[in-house]
Amino acid sequence: MQRRNFLKIAVAGTAMGACGGCASHETSPKAKKTDFAERKSGGGDSRIRGAFPILSTPYEPSGAVDYGVLAKEAKFVAQCKCQGAIWPQSGDSCDLLTVDEKLKGMEEIAKSLEGGKTVATFGCQGGTAEEMTVLAKWAEKLASKYKTPIAVISRPPDNAVSQKDLKNYYLELEKCVNRPVIIQTAGGINYRGPAPSVELLIWLARHNPGVFGYVKEESEGSKCNGRMAAEIAAKPLIHTVFSAWGGWQWLHQARRIGSEGVITERPAYADLLAYIWAQMENYDMNGTLNDAFAKYLLMLNLRNFIPGDDLRGLHLYVLQKRGIFKNRLSRIYEKKNGKTAIPKEPIISDMKLTQAQKDEIETCFASLAPYLSAQ
C-alpha cells in the first residue's frame, strides 16, 4: 500500500471515530464469569470501590491554583459517573501546594460535589503527622458542612522509617476522622521508608473496620501483585483493594487477583475509566472490555512519543481539548545535583507540543469515542 493511501485511510478512520460511537468497532470475545477472580465480600462502605480518578491541579497564568477550574474538573468526573474524585494526592499537589491552598481546594470540591453520589476523597498527609492532622480535621469539618459523601486517602509520611512509625501515624489519623481511610502503600518523592506491611494493614482493619481496610496498592515492581493477592485474601477484614500505577495492570489485577477499582491521576479519561469499571462489574457483558482497556493503554503509551511528566504531561492537552482546563500549566519540582527537590518558590512550566504530537494525541483520542459519555 502506498503511503499516501495509508494516510487517507488513517484520516478517514479518525473522522469515523470522532462520531462518538456512530462507527462500528470490533469487540473482544465476551469473557466468562469464571475469567474473573472470585469476588469475596469485603464489607465496609460499598461506595469505596470503582473508578476514583485523582484530579490534576489547574493553574492560572500567575501560577496560582485555579479553584474554579478545579471545581469544574470535579463536576466533570462526577458527570462521567465515577465513584470517587480524589484531591490533593499526586506529587505536584501533595508537595508543591501550601496547606492553605489545599484547604481552599478541598472546600471547593466538597461544595461542587454536594448532593451527588461521587465520593469526594481528600488526600490527608504530610511530611509529619502534624501536617496530616490539619488536613484530616478539615476534611471532617467539610463533611459536617456539606451534604457530600467524603472519604480520606493518605500515603506514608516522609519521616517514617519503620512499621511502628507507620502504625502510629495512621492511629493519629484515626483520631481525626470518622470515615473510610484509603491507605496508599507508596510514599512521595522524599520517602525512603518501608511500605505499610500487609500485616499492618490487616491489623489496622481489625482495630477499626469503620475507618481502615481500604488500600491503594502501589508497591513497586513484582511486589505489587503478591501483596495485592495477600490483602484480598484477608477479606472481609480488608474491604477494598484498588489498582494503581496509572492503571497499567488494572485489567489483569481485576480479572486474576480481584482488585475492585483504580486510583490514578487520569481525570481526562474519567468516562472511559467509569466505562471500564462498569464492564468489569458486569463480567464484560458487552464484550468490549479488552478493546476499551486497550484504547486506554494507547493513550498512556503516548508517553513514549511525547516526553514529559507521565501523570500530567500530554494529558493536560486532553483536559484542555475537552473544555475542562484553560491551559497546560504545571508547578514542577526542581533538579538539584541530579536529584528531584521541592523548590522554595513555585516553578511554573507550560506543556509545549509540536503539531505532530498534537495530531497523534487527536488520532488516539478519537479511538476512545465509542466509550466516552462526555463529548
Side-chain angles (χ1 to χ4, degrees):
M1 179 185 294
Q2 293 184 352
R3 184 173 182 274
R4 66 174 66 92
N5 291 332
F6 172 81
L7 291 175
K8 288 180 181 179
I9 293 171
V11 171
T14 299
M16 292 177 67
C19 292
C22 61
S24 62
H25 63 281
E26 292 185 5
T27 59
S28 55
K30 289 185 179 181
K32 301 176 182 177
K33 187 173 181 179
T34 52
D35 288 336
F36 290 81
E38 180 183 357
R39 297 184 182 179
K40 301 177 183 178
S41 173
D45 191 328
S46 61
R47 296 172 297 179
I48 312 301
R49 59 195 298 274
F52 275 61
I54 299 172
L55 304 182
S56 295
T57 306
Y59 296 98
E60 298 176 356
S62 65
V65 176
D66 191 329
Y67 297 103
V69 173
L70 182 64
K72 182 179 181 180
E73 184 183 6
K75 289 180 181 178
F76 169 76
V77 167
Q79 290 166 356
C80 289
K81 302 188 184 307
C82 284
Q83 287 69 34
I86 298 175
W87 190 89
Q89 190 60 22
S90 281
D92 68 306
S93 56
C94 284
D95 303 328
L96 303 180
L97 297 181
T98 67
V99 171
D100 286 343
E101 286 174 327
K102 294 175 186 178
L103 298 179
K104 184 174 181 180
M106 289 165 66
E107 180 154 18
E108 290 300 320
I109 291 169
K111 190 188 309 181
S112 70
L113 296 180
E114 190 170 26
K117 295 181 179 181
T118 300
V119 181
T121 307
F122 295 127
C124 298
Q125 54 250 314
T128 64
E130 289 73 21
E131 293 178 37
M132 169 271 291
T133 58
V134 172
L135 297 171
K137 290 177 179 178
W138 184 246
E140 202 65 28
K141 185 175 180 178
L142 294 176
S144 64
K145 184 176 180 179
Y146 298 99
K147 294 180 180 179
T148 305
I150 290 177
V152 165
I153 184 170
S154 186
R155 72 187 192 191
D158 293 343
N159 63 352
V161 297
S162 67
Q163 294 297 322
K164 182 178 179 181
D165 290 340
L166 294 172
K167 179 179 179 180
N168 291 337
Y169 173 80
Y170 287 114
L171 290 178
E172 284 298 315
L173 174 56
E174 177 199 11
K175 294 177 184 178
C176 304
V177 298
N178 183 30
R179 61 199 58 259
V181 170
I182 303 169
I183 294 179
Q184 176 175 313
T185 59
I189 63 165
N190 292 322
Y191 187 60
R192 299 294 180 268
S197 68
V198 174
E199 291 74 20
L200 175 58
L201 295 172
I202 294 173
W203 185 91
L204 289 168
R206 181 181 288 112
H207 165 72
N208 190 340
V211 171
F212 300 115
Y214 308 92
V215 181
K216 177 191 179 187
E217 184 48 70
E218 200 167 30
S219 300
E220 294 186 24
S222 60
K223 297 178 182 179
C224 182
N225 290 342
R227 283 175 52 96
M228 181 178 285
E231 290 153 5
I232 291 172
K235 286 188 174 187
L237 284 174
I238 297 295
H239 305 315
T240 304
V241 182
F242 289 90
S243 296
W245 285 115
W248 295 94
Q249 293 194 74
W250 185 19
L251 185 55
H252 163 72
Q253 290 170 339
R255 279 178 172 166
R256 309 303 173 196
I257 306 177
S259 73
E260 292 182 282
V262 68
I263 293 176
T264 176
E265 188 180 347
R266 300 296 187 278
Y269 317 103
D271 39 3
L272 176 60
L273 297 177
Y275 180 89
I276 291 171
W277 170 246
Q279 300 314 302
M280 290 177 174
E281 282 284 84
N282 294 324
Y283 301 103
D284 195 18
M285 181 176 64
N286 294 336
T288 56
L289 182 53
N290 281 353
D291 187 70
F293 189 72
K295 298 295 173 55
Y296 172 63
L297 292 184
L298 187 65
M299 296 303 303
L300 299 190
N301 192 54
L302 285 172
R303 69 175 186 170
N304 296 311
F305 173 58
I306 304 172
D309 175 30
D310 182 35
L311 291 176
R312 293 168 65 89
L314 66 95
H315 307 298
L316 294 178
Y317 176 87
V318 179
L319 284 168
Q320 189 177 28
K321 169 185 172 62
R322 304 197 77 178
I324 303 163
F325 274 29
K326 299 174 183 176
N327 55 49
R328 302 194 292 274
L329 299 176
S330 296
R331 287 186 190 176
I332 61 173
Y333 295 96
E334 67 177 335
K335 298 292 184 179
K336 283 187 175 180
N337 301 320
K339 295 183 179 180
T340 302
I342 300 172
K344 293 182 179 180
E345 298 294 333
I347 301 173
I348 306 301
S349 174
D350 190 0
M351 179 65 181
K352 302 294 185 182
L353 295 166
T354 66
Q355 189 58 51
Q357 290 170 333
K358 291 178 182 179
D359 290 344
E360 187 63 15
I361 295 172
E362 292 282 353
T363 299
C364 293
F365 182 77
S367 72
L368 307 181
Y371 309 116
L372 302 183
S373 60
Q375 295 296 328

